[in-house]
Amino acid sequence: MAFISLFDVIGPNMVGPSSSHTAGAASMALLARRLFPGRIKKVRFTLYGSFAQTYRGHGTDRALLGGIMGFQTDDLRIRDSLTLAREQGLCYEFITSSELGDEHPNTADMDMEGTGGEHLFVRGVSLGGGKVKIVRLNQIEVDFTGEYSTLVVSQTDKPGVVAHITKALSEKNVNIAFMRLYREERGARAYTIVESDEKIPEDVTDKIRENPCVSNVILVQI
């Protein structure tokens, strides 16, 4: 018999009527926010599938925007996130699309621009029960959940870069749960994503950046 946790039965602590359409939406947007390297000034959401059909009634729009502003799933400010965003000068736009393809029906794109010219495109999926995963960063397909401490290394796909990353982690006694390389094509832009079931020391990012093929390092702690 498969193990079922209490969380799977009652769902997450949340504001809103749906663990998939509100809690999941807030969680994926919060994860996207944590991946962004600066302060967000503008975000454009593209909603697919059931998100596109019911986002107003289920509060998906408010949940997504709340997550982008850093609100947890049970933060009561989510109810007023549209107003709060305007008060904070955060520009936002919601677009619906029927071009779902093979994507999960609870899919949202988050195209973010920062005050310092930063840009990041994130595609997230709400899997149900408040669980989410990130399936695209910019133009590269990825797969991680944010349920572990996650290190995202943006790099050029060159020999020795992954070895440099693992050596830096080993020197800090980081136990790697999962490690994957995602790339556009051989020798082009790539992401190495490392997940650990313990906190990753903050200063490991400086060591990883020493490699000239590494352009950015983002750390998202559990």
Side-chain angles (χ1 to χ4, degrees), residues 78-135:
I78 286 176
R79 297 171 179 170
D80 302 312
S81 60
L82 302 180
T83 300
L84 292 172
R86 288 192 292 268
E87 291 176 351
Q88 295 177 18
L90 173 61
C91 298
Y92 62 87
E93 180 182 8
F94 290 94
I95 300 171
T96 60
S97 174
S98 59
E99 299 178 0
L100 183 61
D102 296 329
E103 297 293 341
H104 190 282
N106 297 333
T107 297
D109 292 341
M110 294 157 279
D111 198 0
M112 296 166 282
E113 297 179 22
T115 56
E118 308 92 340
H119 175 261
L120 181 65
F121 175 93
V122 177
R123 174 170 288 178
V125 173
S126 177
L127 301 172
K131 296 181 181 296
V132 302
K133 67 177 179 178
I134 301 301
V135 297

Side-chain angles (χ1 to χ4, degrees), residues 42-199:
K42 182 178 181 180
V43 57
R44 181 174 62 194
F45 300 98
T46 303
L47 310 181
Y48 301 89
S50 58
F51 270 3
Q53 296 167 9
T54 65
Y55 73 97
R56 288 193 179 93
H58 283 179
T60 305
D61 50 355
R62 287 171 286 173
L64 285 167
L65 197 53
I68 287 293
M69 290 190 288
F71 301 164
Q72 300 284 346
T73 58
D74 59 351
D75 194 320
L76 295 179
R77 291 177 295 175
I78 286 176
R79 297 171 179 170
D80 302 312
S81 60
L82 302 180
T83 300
L84 292 172
R86 288 192 292 268
E87 291 176 351
Q88 295 177 18
L90 173 61
C91 298
Y92 62 87
E93 180 182 8
F94 290 94
I95 300 171
T96 60
S97 174
S98 59
E99 299 178 0
L100 183 61
D102 296 329
E103 297 293 341
H104 190 282
N106 297 333
T107 297
D109 292 341
M110 294 157 279
D111 198 0
M112 296 166 282
E113 297 179 22
T115 56
E118 308 92 340
H119 175 261
L120 181 65
F121 175 93
V122 177
R123 174 170 288 178
V125 173
S126 177
L127 301 172
K131 296 181 181 296
V132 302
K133 67 177 179 178
I134 301 301
V135 297
R136 183 174 295 177
L137 291 178
N138 293 321
Q139 300 305 313
I140 300 177
E141 293 185 359
V142 297
D143 189 343
F144 64 97
T145 65
E147 294 178 0
Y148 300 85
S149 290
T150 304
L151 186 73
V152 180
V153 182
S154 178
Q155 66 197 72
T156 303
D157 181 37
K158 297 291 184 181
V161 182
V162 173
H164 171 75
I165 296 169
T166 55
K167 183 174 184 294
L169 293 169
S170 176
E171 290 174 350
K172 294 294 183 179
N173 296 315
V174 175
N175 184 39
I176 298 173
F178 306 100
M179 183 172 182
R180 305 177 185 90
L181 174 68
Y182 303 93
R183 62 185 186 178
E184 291 178 318
E185 59 184 29
R186 184 176 180 179
R189 182 172 54 175
Y191 289 104
T192 295
I193 297 180
V194 180
E195 296 175 286
S196 175
D197 47 14
E198 58 190 20
K199 284 189 176 296

